[in-house]
Amino acid sequence: MAKRRGLTPELYAALRAEGIKSVAEYAIKDTPAFVPFRQLPLRFKWWKVVSGVRTTLESWWVRSGETAEDVWRVLR
């Protein structure tokens, strides 16, 4: 029998019951990494997109700070 990859209704219910800001926070955040995007429930698709955008914006913010420090160092 082929191994089923995806989020079972039982697992989804358990993760949903815990909520995003609880003990299962990391499990919920890691779920999109192990389940194909097309098989994710809408809530997890939204979370994956939002977290990807947030990560990108944070990295841009850090790099802009480093660039500002470099410019300040050159100007001094």
Side-chain angles (χ1 to χ4, degrees), residues 2-75:
K3 190 174 187 180
R4 182 174 178 218
R5 295 189 62 157
L7 196 59
T8 64
E10 296 83 15
L11 181 57
Y12 178 66
L15 291 172
R16 187 174 190 170
E18 288 294 325
I20 292 186
K21 296 293 182 192
S22 68
V23 176
E25 179 178 0
Y26 297 113
I28 291 172
K29 287 182 179 178
D30 290 344
T31 299
F34 298 103
V35 178
F37 188 79
R38 290 181 182 178
Q39 294 178 1
L40 288 172
L42 185 59
R43 179 177 181 214
F44 288 105
K45 287 180 183 178
W46 177 250
W47 179 254
K48 187 168 184 170
V49 170
V50 167
S51 66
V53 169
R54 181 181 291 158
T55 301
T56 301
L57 292 175
E58 287 174 356
S59 69
W60 288 351
W61 178 257
V62 169
R63 282 188 284 168
S64 69
E66 293 170 353
T67 303
E69 289 175 3
D70 291 343
V71 168
W72 178 250
R73 219 175 281 131
V74 168
L75 291 177

